[in-house]
Amino acid sequence: MSGIYIHIPFCKQACHYCDFHFSTSMKKKDEMVLALAKEIHLRKNESELLDSARNDNSIETIYFGGGTPSVLTTDEIQFLIDAVYKNYSVSENPEITLEANPDDLSTERIIELSKTSINRLSIGIQSFFEDDLQMMNRAHNSAEAKKCLEVATQYFDNISLDLIYGIPGMSNEKWKQNIDTALGFDIPHISSYALTVEPKTALNKLIQTGKIAKPNDEVAAAHFQILVETLEKNGFIHYELSNFGEEDYFSKNNSAYWLGKKYIGIGPSAHSYDGISRSWNVSNNSIYLKSLDENKLPNEIEILSKTDRYNEYIMTGLRTIWGVSLERIEKEFGISYLDYLNNQVQKFIKDDLLEIVTSSDSTFGRNCIEKILKTTKKGKFLTDGIASDLFYLNLEV
């Protein structure tokens, strides 16, 4: 098995661009922590069904996402980690990640967290410039961002930070300064995303009313190229479209998702995947709490068709350095899918957006040469659009 994701549905304030599920009211936080622990317990038997073929149902990663998990107290975080250990078999050295915002990471808090089971911090910096942070309605300021990194690096070896590019009005030079500032803290992992405009966000309303300019795709593409070139020159491996890590510092939690491993999602709006089906919890705190109070799991389940699984593999595979294995396509999905894929990729190969390379695979002690479909440097920024053009939409009913 891969891991457990725990969604903490609370934030101090709403970032203008965010469309994740959260509440800015902390009134039900205590009740929610107990409910999360109950769901962890109620779903403990699910781990016995995962990866049974490998006789391996241990938890390799525990990931606190949100929302803003750092709004929980250190004792509450450890309480939930302990609940996982009580109900599941956990590997000897699991990766345990906490997403945190700079305003929650005082020196005292960082020291507290370093004494818990948390061994990886993912810090939501987004930008080191005050005007960007205010535009996005972030709860922290530039000084807090820099201070928390200065202290965190003294107590944690494994740290990731988030940066956002394509912000309206951000010049290439300003974006380069953001990257250079991050590199100055000797952080081993950086996640970076283009600013996107989701329909039901405050950012969308601000753009519609003319208060903020609409993000420009050409600017975002230029920022992406600067990001890739700068980080690769500094020893980072671009292992996933939005993620860069030094060797041995890739996110194990996220890599498992991209590689199609199985996971359990705990909390409101959290998703789970068992290789055959996907389930998701209700995105409503009150309904979630009521259901758990009645010992019910408030989720919906979708059985994935072969085409669903094929399309998902195309999407996740192309985003990573591991690419899409043509051998796996034929073995898991059949020759008709492989023929379709080979036909669809030709125009992208001709335009130097995709390429087929050979790769040595020594997994499980076997040595073989595989053909792998990957994006080129030219095609990397366009990965999601290319993947959608490769989807098979009508092979199955």
Short mmCIF file of all heavy atoms in Angstrom, two decimals, residues 195-247:
data_model
loop_
_atom_site.label_atom_id
_atom_site.label_comp_id
_atom_site.label_asym_id
_atom_site.label_seq_id
_atom_site.Cartn_x
_atom_site.Cartn_y
_atom_site.Cartn_z
N LEU A 195 -0.57 30.30 -11.54
CA LEU A 195 -1.79 30.85 -10.97
C LEU A 195 -2.95 30.54 -11.91
O LEU A 195 -2.93 30.93 -13.08
CB LEU A 195 -1.66 32.37 -10.78
CG LEU A 195 -2.88 33.07 -10.16
CD1 LEU A 195 -3.07 32.62 -8.72
CD2 LEU A 195 -2.72 34.59 -10.22
N THR A 196 -3.93 29.82 -11.42
CA THR A 196 -5.09 29.47 -12.24
C THR A 196 -6.34 30.12 -11.66
O THR A 196 -6.42 30.37 -10.45
CB THR A 196 -5.29 27.95 -12.30
OG1 THR A 196 -5.39 27.43 -10.97
CG2 THR A 196 -4.12 27.28 -13.00
N VAL A 197 -7.29 30.38 -12.53
CA VAL A 197 -8.52 31.06 -12.12
C VAL A 197 -9.67 30.05 -12.10
O VAL A 197 -10.14 29.62 -13.15
CB VAL A 197 -8.86 32.23 -13.07
CG1 VAL A 197 -10.08 32.98 -12.57
CG2 VAL A 197 -7.66 33.17 -13.22
N GLU A 198 -10.09 29.67 -10.91
CA GLU A 198 -11.20 28.73 -10.76
C GLU A 198 -12.51 29.50 -10.67
O GLU A 198 -12.56 30.60 -10.10
CB GLU A 198 -11.00 27.86 -9.53
CG GLU A 198 -9.70 27.05 -9.53
CD GLU A 198 -9.63 26.04 -10.65
OE1 GLU A 198 -10.68 25.69 -11.21
OE2 GLU A 198 -8.52 25.60 -10.99
N PRO A 199 -13.60 28.92 -11.20
CA PRO A 199 -14.88 29.65 -11.34
C PRO A 199 -15.45 30.26 -10.07
O PRO A 199 -15.93 31.38 -10.09
CB PRO A 199 -15.82 28.57 -11.90
CG PRO A 199 -14.91 27.61 -12.59
CD PRO A 199 -13.66 27.57 -11.78
N LYS A 200 -15.39 29.54 -8.94
CA LYS A 200 -16.08 29.99 -7.75
C LYS A 200 -15.16 30.67 -6.73
O LYS A 200 -15.47 30.72 -5.53
CB LYS A 200 -16.81 28.82 -7.08
CG LYS A 200 -17.88 28.20 -7.96
CD LYS A 200 -18.59 27.05 -7.26
CE LYS A 200 -19.67 26.44 -8.14
NZ LYS A 200 -20.37 25.32 -7.47
N THR A 201 -14.05 31.23 -7.20
CA THR A 201 -13.10 31.85 -6.29
C THR A 201 -13.21 33.37 -6.30
O THR A 201 -13.75 33.97 -7.23
CB THR A 201 -11.66 31.47 -6.68
OG1 THR A 201 -11.40 31.94 -8.02
CG2 THR A 201 -11.45 29.97 -6.62
N ALA A 202 -12.66 33.98 -5.26
CA ALA A 202 -12.63 35.44 -5.18
C ALA A 202 -11.78 36.02 -6.30
O ALA A 202 -12.09 37.10 -6.82
CB ALA A 202 -12.06 35.87 -3.82
N LEU A 203 -10.74 35.29 -6.70
CA LEU A 203 -9.88 35.76 -7.79
C LEU A 203 -10.68 35.93 -9.07
O LEU A 203 -10.51 36.93 -9.79
CB LEU A 203 -8.73 34.77 -8.01
CG LEU A 203 -7.77 35.10 -9.16
CD1 LEU A 203 -7.10 36.44 -8.95
CD2 LEU A 203 -6.72 33.99 -9.32
N ASN A 204 -11.55 34.99 -9.36
CA ASN A 204 -12.37 35.08 -10.56
C ASN A 204 -13.25 36.33 -10.54
O ASN A 204 -13.39 37.04 -11.54
CB ASN A 204 -13.23 33.83 -10.71
CG ASN A 204 -13.99 33.79 -12.02
OD1 ASN A 204 -13.42 34.00 -13.08
ND2 ASN A 204 -15.28 33.53 -11.96
N LYS A 205 -13.83 36.62 -9.38
CA LYS A 205 -14.69 37.80 -9.25
C LYS A 205 -13.88 39.09 -9.41
O LYS A 205 -14.35 40.05 -10.03
CB LYS A 205 -15.41 37.78 -7.89
CG LYS A 205 -16.43 36.66 -7.76
CD LYS A 205 -17.10 36.70 -6.40
CE LYS A 205 -18.13 35.58 -6.27
NZ LYS A 205 -18.77 35.56 -4.93
N LEU A 206 -12.68 39.09 -8.84
CA LEU A 206 -11.82 40.27 -8.94
C LEU A 206 -11.40 40.54 -10.38
O LEU A 206 -11.29 41.69 -10.80
CB LEU A 206 -10.59 40.09 -8.05
CG LEU A 206 -10.84 40.13 -6.53
CD1 LEU A 206 -9.61 39.65 -5.78
CD2 LEU A 206 -11.24 41.53 -6.09
N ILE A 207 -11.19 39.47 -11.13
CA ILE A 207 -10.84 39.62 -12.54
C ILE A 207 -12.04 40.11 -13.35
O ILE A 207 -11.93 41.00 -14.19
CB ILE A 207 -10.31 38.28 -13.11
CG1 ILE A 207 -8.94 37.96 -12.50
CG2 ILE A 207 -10.22 38.33 -14.63
CD1 ILE A 207 -8.41 36.59 -12.85
N GLN A 208 -13.21 39.54 -13.05
CA GLN A 208 -14.42 39.94 -13.77
C GLN A 208 -14.78 41.40 -13.54
O GLN A 208 -15.32 42.07 -14.43
CB GLN A 208 -15.60 39.04 -13.36
CG GLN A 208 -15.49 37.61 -13.88
CD GLN A 208 -16.65 36.75 -13.42
OE1 GLN A 208 -17.33 37.05 -12.44
NE2 GLN A 208 -16.89 35.65 -14.14
N THR A 209 -14.47 41.91 -12.36
CA THR A 209 -14.77 43.31 -12.04
C THR A 209 -13.63 44.25 -12.42
O THR A 209 -13.71 45.46 -12.17
CB THR A 209 -15.09 43.46 -10.54
OG1 THR A 209 -13.98 42.98 -9.77
CG2 THR A 209 -16.35 42.70 -10.17
N GLY A 210 -12.57 43.70 -12.99
CA GLY A 210 -11.46 44.52 -13.46
C GLY A 210 -10.51 44.98 -12.39
O GLY A 210 -9.64 45.83 -12.65
N LYS A 211 -10.60 44.43 -11.18
CA LYS A 211 -9.72 44.85 -10.09
C LYS A 211 -8.34 44.19 -10.19
O LYS A 211 -7.36 44.71 -9.66
CB LYS A 211 -10.38 44.55 -8.75
CG LYS A 211 -11.65 45.35 -8.52
CD LYS A 211 -12.27 45.01 -7.17
CE LYS A 211 -13.56 45.83 -6.95
NZ LYS A 211 -14.20 45.50 -5.65
N ILE A 212 -8.30 43.02 -10.83
CA ILE A 212 -7.04 42.31 -11.04
C ILE A 212 -7.00 41.86 -12.50
O ILE A 212 -8.01 41.42 -13.05
CB ILE A 212 -6.92 41.09 -10.10
CG1 ILE A 212 -6.83 41.53 -8.64
CG2 ILE A 212 -5.70 40.23 -10.47
CD1 ILE A 212 -6.76 40.38 -7.66
N ALA A 213 -5.85 41.99 -13.12
CA ALA A 213 -5.71 41.55 -14.51
C ALA A 213 -5.75 40.04 -14.60
O ALA A 213 -5.36 39.31 -13.67
CB ALA A 213 -4.39 42.07 -15.08
N LYS A 214 -6.21 39.54 -15.72
CA LYS A 214 -6.27 38.10 -15.95
C LYS A 214 -4.86 37.56 -16.19
O LYS A 214 -4.07 38.18 -16.90
CB LYS A 214 -7.15 37.80 -17.17
CG LYS A 214 -7.36 36.33 -17.45
CD LYS A 214 -8.27 36.13 -18.65
CE LYS A 214 -8.47 34.65 -18.95
NZ LYS A 214 -9.36 34.45 -20.12
N PRO A 215 -4.52 36.40 -15.59
CA PRO A 215 -3.20 35.82 -15.84
C PRO A 215 -2.97 35.58 -17.33
O PRO A 215 -3.89 35.20 -18.06
CB PRO A 215 -3.26 34.49 -15.07
CG PRO A 215 -4.25 34.74 -13.98
CD PRO A 215 -5.29 35.63 -14.60
N ASN A 216 -1.75 35.81 -17.78
CA ASN A 216 -1.39 35.69 -19.18
C ASN A 216 -0.64 34.38 -19.42
O ASN A 216 0.37 34.10 -18.76
CB ASN A 216 -0.51 36.88 -19.58
CG ASN A 216 -0.15 36.88 -21.04
OD1 ASN A 216 0.61 36.03 -21.49
ND2 ASN A 216 -0.68 37.84 -21.78
N ASP A 217 -1.13 33.57 -20.36
CA ASP A 217 -0.53 32.26 -20.61
C ASP A 217 0.92 32.37 -21.09
O ASP A 217 1.76 31.54 -20.74
CB ASP A 217 -1.34 31.48 -21.65
CG ASP A 217 -2.69 31.02 -21.11
OD1 ASP A 217 -2.84 30.99 -19.88
OD2 ASP A 217 -3.58 30.69 -21.92
N GLU A 218 1.21 33.39 -21.89
CA GLU A 218 2.58 33.55 -22.39
C GLU A 218 3.54 33.90 -21.25
O GLU A 218 4.69 33.44 -21.23
CB GLU A 218 2.61 34.63 -23.46
CG GLU A 218 1.90 34.22 -24.76
CD GLU A 218 2.02 35.28 -25.84
OE1 GLU A 218 2.69 36.32 -25.59
OE2 GLU A 218 1.46 35.08 -26.93
N VAL A 219 3.07 34.72 -20.32
CA VAL A 219 3.89 35.07 -19.15
C VAL A 219 4.14 33.82 -18.30
O VAL A 219 5.27 33.56 -17.86
CB VAL A 219 3.20 36.16 -18.31
CG1 VAL A 219 3.92 36.34 -16.97
CG2 VAL A 219 3.15 37.47 -19.07
N ALA A 220 3.08 33.03 -18.08
CA ALA A 220 3.21 31.81 -17.30
C ALA A 220 4.19 30.84 -17.96
O ALA A 220 5.02 30.20 -17.28
CB ALA A 220 1.85 31.15 -17.13
N ALA A 221 4.13 30.72 -19.29
CA ALA A 221 5.04 29.83 -20.01
C ALA A 221 6.49 30.30 -19.86
O ALA A 221 7.41 29.49 -19.68
CB ALA A 221 4.65 29.78 -21.49
N ALA A 222 6.71 31.61 -19.93
CA ALA A 222 8.06 32.15 -19.76
C ALA A 222 8.57 31.90 -18.35
O ALA A 222 9.74 31.52 -18.15
CB ALA A 222 8.06 33.65 -20.06
N HIS A 223 7.70 32.09 -17.36
CA HIS A 223 8.09 31.83 -15.96
C HIS A 223 8.42 30.35 -15.76
O HIS A 223 9.37 30.01 -15.03
CB HIS A 223 6.94 32.23 -15.02
CG HIS A 223 6.77 33.71 -14.88
ND1 HIS A 223 5.81 34.27 -14.06
CD2 HIS A 223 7.44 34.74 -15.44
CE1 HIS A 223 5.90 35.59 -14.14
NE2 HIS A 223 6.87 35.90 -14.98
N PHE A 224 7.66 29.48 -16.40
CA PHE A 224 7.90 28.04 -16.28
C PHE A 224 9.28 27.69 -16.81
O PHE A 224 10.03 26.93 -16.18
CB PHE A 224 6.81 27.27 -17.04
CG PHE A 224 6.98 25.78 -16.99
CD1 PHE A 224 6.61 25.06 -15.87
CD2 PHE A 224 7.48 25.09 -18.09
CE1 PHE A 224 6.76 23.67 -15.83
CE2 PHE A 224 7.63 23.71 -18.06
CZ PHE A 224 7.27 23.00 -16.93
N GLN A 225 9.64 28.22 -17.95
CA GLN A 225 10.95 27.93 -18.52
C GLN A 225 12.08 28.44 -17.63
O GLN A 225 13.11 27.77 -17.46
CB GLN A 225 11.07 28.54 -19.93
CG GLN A 225 10.15 27.90 -20.96
CD GLN A 225 10.33 26.40 -21.09
OE1 GLN A 225 11.46 25.89 -21.02
NE2 GLN A 225 9.22 25.68 -21.26
N ILE A 226 11.90 29.63 -17.07
CA ILE A 226 12.89 30.17 -16.13
C ILE A 226 13.02 29.26 -14.92
O ILE A 226 14.13 28.96 -14.45
CB ILE A 226 12.49 31.59 -15.68
CG1 ILE A 226 12.60 32.57 -16.86
CG2 ILE A 226 13.35 32.06 -14.51
CD1 ILE A 226 12.00 33.93 -16.58
N LEU A 227 11.89 28.79 -14.42
CA LEU A 227 11.86 27.89 -13.27
C LEU A 227 12.64 26.61 -13.55
O LEU A 227 13.51 26.21 -12.77
CB LEU A 227 10.40 27.55 -12.92
CG LEU A 227 10.15 26.53 -11.81
CD1 LEU A 227 10.48 27.14 -10.45
CD2 LEU A 227 8.69 26.07 -11.84
N VAL A 228 12.33 25.97 -14.66
CA VAL A 228 12.97 24.70 -15.01
C VAL A 228 14.47 24.89 -15.19
O VAL A 228 15.29 24.14 -14.61
CB VAL A 228 12.36 24.13 -16.31
CG1 VAL A 228 13.15 22.90 -16.77
CG2 VAL A 228 10.89 23.76 -16.09
N GLU A 229 14.88 25.90 -15.96
CA GLU A 229 16.30 26.12 -16.24
C GLU A 229 17.07 26.45 -14.96
O GLU A 229 18.17 25.93 -14.74
CB GLU A 229 16.46 27.24 -17.26
CG GLU A 229 15.95 26.87 -18.65
CD GLU A 229 15.90 28.06 -19.60
OE1 GLU A 229 16.39 29.15 -19.21
OE2 GLU A 229 15.39 27.91 -20.72
N THR A 230 16.48 27.30 -14.12
CA THR A 230 17.19 27.73 -12.90
C THR A 230 17.35 26.58 -11.91
O THR A 230 18.44 26.37 -11.36
CB THR A 230 16.43 28.89 -12.21
OG1 THR A 230 16.27 29.96 -13.14
CG2 THR A 230 17.19 29.39 -10.99
N LEU A 231 16.29 25.82 -11.70
CA LEU A 231 16.36 24.74 -10.72
C LEU A 231 17.24 23.59 -11.21
O LEU A 231 18.00 23.00 -10.42
CB LEU A 231 14.95 24.23 -10.39
CG LEU A 231 14.07 25.23 -9.62
CD1 LEU A 231 12.74 24.59 -9.23
CD2 LEU A 231 14.77 25.76 -8.37
N GLU A 232 17.17 23.28 -12.49
CA GLU A 232 18.02 22.20 -13.00
C GLU A 232 19.49 22.59 -12.92
O GLU A 232 20.35 21.75 -12.63
CB GLU A 232 17.62 21.85 -14.43
CG GLU A 232 16.29 21.09 -14.50
CD GLU A 232 15.93 20.63 -15.90
OE1 GLU A 232 16.52 21.16 -16.87
OE2 GLU A 232 15.05 19.75 -16.03
N LYS A 233 19.81 23.86 -13.14
CA LYS A 233 21.19 24.33 -13.00
C LYS A 233 21.68 24.21 -11.57
O LYS A 233 22.89 24.12 -11.31
CB LYS A 233 21.31 25.78 -13.46
CG LYS A 233 21.27 25.97 -14.98
CD LYS A 233 21.38 27.44 -15.34
CE LYS A 233 21.31 27.64 -16.84
NZ LYS A 233 21.34 29.09 -17.21
N ASN A 234 20.74 24.22 -10.63
CA ASN A 234 21.09 24.13 -9.21
C ASN A 234 20.93 22.73 -8.64
O ASN A 234 20.85 22.55 -7.42
CB ASN A 234 20.24 25.12 -8.41
CG ASN A 234 20.73 26.56 -8.53
OD1 ASN A 234 21.60 27.00 -7.79
ND2 ASN A 234 20.19 27.28 -9.52
N GLY A 235 20.89 21.73 -9.52
CA GLY A 235 20.92 20.35 -9.08
C GLY A 235 19.58 19.72 -8.78
O GLY A 235 19.53 18.59 -8.26
N PHE A 236 18.49 20.41 -9.08
CA PHE A 236 17.16 19.83 -8.86
C PHE A 236 16.75 18.96 -10.04
O PHE A 236 17.08 19.26 -11.19
CB PHE A 236 16.12 20.93 -8.67
CG PHE A 236 16.15 21.59 -7.32
CD1 PHE A 236 17.16 22.50 -6.99
CD2 PHE A 236 15.19 21.30 -6.37
CE1 PHE A 236 17.19 23.10 -5.75
CE2 PHE A 236 15.21 21.90 -5.12
CZ PHE A 236 16.22 22.81 -4.81
N ILE A 237 16.03 17.91 -9.76
CA ILE A 237 15.50 17.01 -10.78
C ILE A 237 14.04 17.35 -11.00
O ILE A 237 13.25 17.38 -10.04
CB ILE A 237 15.66 15.53 -10.36
CG1 ILE A 237 17.13 15.20 -10.14
CG2 ILE A 237 15.04 14.61 -11.41
CD1 ILE A 237 17.36 13.86 -9.48
N HIS A 238 13.68 17.62 -12.23
CA HIS A 238 12.29 17.97 -12.57
C HIS A 238 11.51 16.67 -12.74
O HIS A 238 11.25 16.22 -13.84
CB HIS A 238 12.28 18.80 -13.85
CG HIS A 238 10.95 19.39 -14.17
ND1 HIS A 238 10.66 19.96 -15.40
CD2 HIS A 238 9.82 19.53 -13.43
CE1 HIS A 238 9.42 20.41 -15.40
NE2 HIS A 238 8.89 20.15 -14.22
N TYR A 239 11.09 16.08 -11.61
CA TYR A 239 10.54 14.73 -11.66
C TYR A 239 9.04 14.67 -11.92
O TYR A 239 8.50 13.62 -12.22
CB TYR A 239 10.91 13.96 -10.39
CG TYR A 239 10.20 14.38 -9.12
CD1 TYR A 239 9.13 13.63 -8.63
CD2 TYR A 239 10.61 15.49 -8.40
CE1 TYR A 239 8.50 13.99 -7.44
CE2 TYR A 239 9.99 15.86 -7.23
CZ TYR A 239 8.93 15.10 -6.75
OH TYR A 239 8.29 15.47 -5.58
N GLU A 240 8.37 15.82 -11.78
CA GLU A 240 6.94 15.90 -12.10
C GLU A 240 6.67 17.32 -12.56
O GLU A 240 7.41 18.23 -12.19
CB GLU A 240 6.09 15.54 -10.89
CG GLU A 240 4.63 15.27 -11.18
CD GLU A 240 3.76 16.53 -11.15
OE1 GLU A 240 4.20 17.54 -10.56
OE2 GLU A 240 2.64 16.50 -11.70
N LEU A 241 5.65 17.51 -13.37
CA LEU A 241 5.43 18.79 -14.02
C LEU A 241 5.60 19.98 -13.07
O LEU A 241 6.21 20.98 -13.42
CB LEU A 241 4.02 18.81 -14.63
CG LEU A 241 3.64 20.07 -15.40
CD1 LEU A 241 4.56 20.28 -16.59
CD2 LEU A 241 2.18 20.00 -15.85
N SER A 242 5.06 19.88 -11.85
CA SER A 242 5.09 21.00 -10.90
C SER A 242 6.06 20.78 -9.74
O SER A 242 6.07 21.58 -8.80
CB SER A 242 3.68 21.24 -10.34
OG SER A 242 2.76 21.50 -11.37
N ASN A 243 6.87 19.74 -9.82
CA ASN A 243 7.70 19.39 -8.66
C ASN A 243 9.15 19.15 -9.03
O ASN A 243 9.47 18.47 -10.01
CB ASN A 243 7.11 18.15 -7.98
CG ASN A 243 5.84 18.46 -7.24
OD1 ASN A 243 5.87 18.81 -6.06
ND2 ASN A 243 4.71 18.36 -7.92
N PHE A 244 10.03 19.68 -8.18
CA PHE A 244 11.47 19.62 -8.38
C PHE A 244 12.12 19.21 -7.06
O PHE A 244 11.84 19.79 -6.01
CB PHE A 244 12.01 20.99 -8.78
CG PHE A 244 11.36 21.59 -10.00
CD1 PHE A 244 10.10 22.18 -9.92
CD2 PHE A 244 12.00 21.57 -11.22
CE1 PHE A 244 9.49 22.74 -11.03
CE2 PHE A 244 11.41 22.13 -12.35
CZ PHE A 244 10.15 22.71 -12.26
N GLY A 245 12.96 18.19 -7.12
CA GLY A 245 13.60 17.75 -5.89
C GLY A 245 15.05 17.37 -6.11
O GLY A 245 15.43 16.91 -7.19
N GLU A 246 15.84 17.58 -5.09
CA GLU A 246 17.19 17.05 -5.12
C GLU A 246 17.10 15.53 -5.00
O GLU A 246 16.08 14.99 -4.58
CB GLU A 246 18.02 17.65 -3.98
CG GLU A 246 18.25 19.14 -4.12
CD GLU A 246 19.05 19.74 -2.97
OE1 GLU A 246 19.38 18.98 -2.04
OE2 GLU A 246 19.33 20.94 -3.00
N GLU A 247 18.16 14.85 -5.37
CA GLU A 247 18.15 13.39 -5.31
C GLU A 247 17.82 12.93 -3.89
O GLU A 247 18.33 13.48 -2.90
CB GLU A 247 19.52 12.84 -5.73
CG GLU A 247 19.52 11.36 -5.97
CD GLU A 247 20.82 10.88 -6.62
OE1 GLU A 247 21.65 11.73 -6.98
OE2 GLU A 247 20.97 9.66 -6.76
#
